[in-house]
Amino acid sequence: MCQYSSDDGFANDWHLVHLGSRATGGAGMVIAEATAVVPEGRISPQDLGIWKDEHVDFLTRVAEFITSQNSVPAIQLAHAGRKASTRRPWDGGGTASLEQGGWLPVYGPTALAFTESALTPEEMSCEAIARITQAFADAASRALKAGFKVVELHGAHGYLLHAFLSPLSNRRQDEYGGSYENRTRFVKEVTIAVRNVWPDELPLLIRLSATDWVEGGWDIEQTVRLSLELQALGVDLVDCSSGGSKAGAVIPVGRGYQVSFAEAVHNAGVLSGAVGLITEPDQADEIIRSGKADIVLLARELLRDPYWPSRAAKALNAQHTLPKQYERAWL
């Protein structure tokens, strides 16, 4: 979950405590928030970044602490695309002006704004696409240097990679638009570039919006097809979310409402992660035991309770190692 708490992309004590507390709370893996691979790829001026070598030092502290708590440090690499340069939620949202730290232009596959009040993106040239592909690879190299053991590519929620996938936001007429093969080209090129610098023995994940929830948009059938193709390119697991490409899309939000997408990907033979209003230990346990997904990924529930994994282990009578400092509280 984005923390909107960075200055010039740098991690700080907030990130160390925020992510570290989830590690001490028993999470098997802790994924740092959407981390921008270029400065113009931030959602807000306060987003975390990994676009320059100077970002590595503090991120190393974060990764080392997570590791010391017997958890796996992971990081999500992202580019916000046409949804970039916005104000933080508690600053009211909407477009961030230049005086508020925003920037111009923002970029997308096509010059289509997300909403009438949002910035209209500049259509990316093929040279710009190649530059961002390299930026993802460079960011992965920095993540490795910082000590992260898992990288996740953010290809969901209407951000840049998803914007290329969805026909709702991609109206290009060149080799990056139109057909399924063309719309998925950028994501595949980024995957190949990252896998080339990310060690074979370390997992590479991708987060996909399995559906736009809009007729004629990106859907679960295309997601399954892409998941199989990305698996062949070195992706180890698909984190199955949804939505974000169309403002006002009708989404049937409810308990575990996105689990079926992870199940479809899992049934196709690709490891999948389930997300979406998974809040109770027995619910998470059932998803794994029934084979609907291979892992459960928590976001808002871990914001509410960083010690949810430890409570879940106790509720399910599962073996679990607590920090020595906390053991007496769980007797």
Side-chain angles (χ1 to χ4, degrees):
M1 297 294 290
C2 290
Q3 297 300 292
Y4 307 107
S5 300
S6 293
D7 181 12
D8 192 28
F10 282 91
N12 53 50
D13 287 347
W14 175 265
H15 300 92
L16 177 63
V17 174
H18 165 66
L19 296 168
S21 65
R22 274 75 198 166
T24 60
M29 177 172 66
V30 177
I31 307 177
E33 66 192 81
T35 307
V37 300
V38 290
E40 68 272 20
R42 292 172 291 173
I43 301 168
S44 79
Q46 294 80 27
D47 277 21
L48 190 62
I50 194 168
W51 65 79
K52 55 185 175 181
D53 293 342
E54 290 81 0
H55 287 144
V56 170
D57 283 351
F58 204 98
L59 289 171
T60 300
R61 287 187 61 191
V62 174
E64 286 178 345
F65 183 80
I66 292 171
T67 301
S68 76
Q69 301 305 302
N70 300 310
S71 185
V72 176
I75 190 166
Q76 187 182 76
L77 304 181
H79 189 301
R82 64 178 184 166
K83 299 174 95 171
S85 192
T86 65
R87 291 181 295 178
R88 294 182 293 191
W90 57 84
D91 290 335
T95 300
S97 67
L98 299 181
E99 293 74 22
Q100 294 166 328
W103 55 91
L104 290 171
V106 298
Y107 295 94
T110 314
L112 291 172
F114 179 60
T115 64
E116 290 184 359
S117 60
L119 294 172
T120 298
E122 180 176 304
E123 181 172 315
M124 292 175 68
S125 66
C126 290
E127 291 75 16
I129 290 171
R131 179 178 67 85
I132 297 303
T133 299
Q134 185 60 50
F136 270 97
D138 292 343
S141 294
R142 294 186 188 102
L144 182 65
K145 185 177 180 180
F148 290 98
K149 302 302 182 186
V150 178
V151 154
E152 179 174 77
L153 305 176
H154 199 334
H157 302 165
Y159 299 129
L160 187 64
L161 296 182
H162 180 203
F164 270 82
L165 294 175
S166 176
L168 301 179
S169 48
N170 184 349
R171 306 288 176 82
R172 298 174 72 97
Q173 301 298 315
D174 64 0
E175 63 266 39
Y176 289 97
S179 68
Y180 166 88
E181 289 78 9
N182 287 352
R183 286 184 284 108
T184 59
R185 190 183 307 277
F186 183 29
V187 172
K188 292 173 183 175
E189 289 177 348
V190 168
T191 299
I192 291 168
V194 170
R195 188 79 265 187
N196 282 343
V197 301
W198 192 247
D200 290 342
E201 66 273 14
L202 296 182
L204 174 61
L205 282 55
I206 188 166
R207 174 161 247 206
L208 295 176
S209 278
T211 178
D212 287 332
W213 298 107
V214 176
E215 186 175 354
W218 183 259
D219 55 30
I220 184 58
E221 289 77 21
Q222 293 174 91
T223 296
V224 170
R225 179 180 175 183
L226 180 60
S227 297
L228 288 165
E229 293 167 353
L230 292 178
Q231 182 184 59
L233 296 177
V235 167
D236 296 292
L237 181 140
V238 177
D239 169 1
C240 299
S241 189
S242 70
S245 188
K246 176 71 172 179
V250 179
I251 301 175
V253 176
R255 175 183 166 97
Y257 71 106
Q258 297 178 130
V259 174
S260 64
F261 303 135
E263 185 174 13
V265 170
H266 173 88
N267 289 343
V270 180
L271 296 179
S272 70
V275 305
L277 290 184
I278 300 169
T279 60
E280 298 300 330
D282 60 346
Q283 179 190 11
D285 191 55
E286 187 276 333
I287 290 168
I288 300 302
R289 291 188 184 277
S290 64
K292 294 176 182 175
D294 298 280
I295 61 173
V296 165
L297 298 160
L298 302 176
R300 287 174 175 80
E301 191 61 27
L302 280 185
L303 288 187
R304 289 186 281 266
D305 180 7
Y307 304 102
W308 189 96
S310 293
R311 288 198 303 103
K314 187 174 180 64
L316 298 169
N317 296 314
Q319 184 177 358
H320 179 56
T321 301
L322 290 160
K324 296 294 184 184
Q325 296 92 329
Y326 292 172
E327 281 181 345
R328 61 186 180 275
W330 292 83
L331 295 177

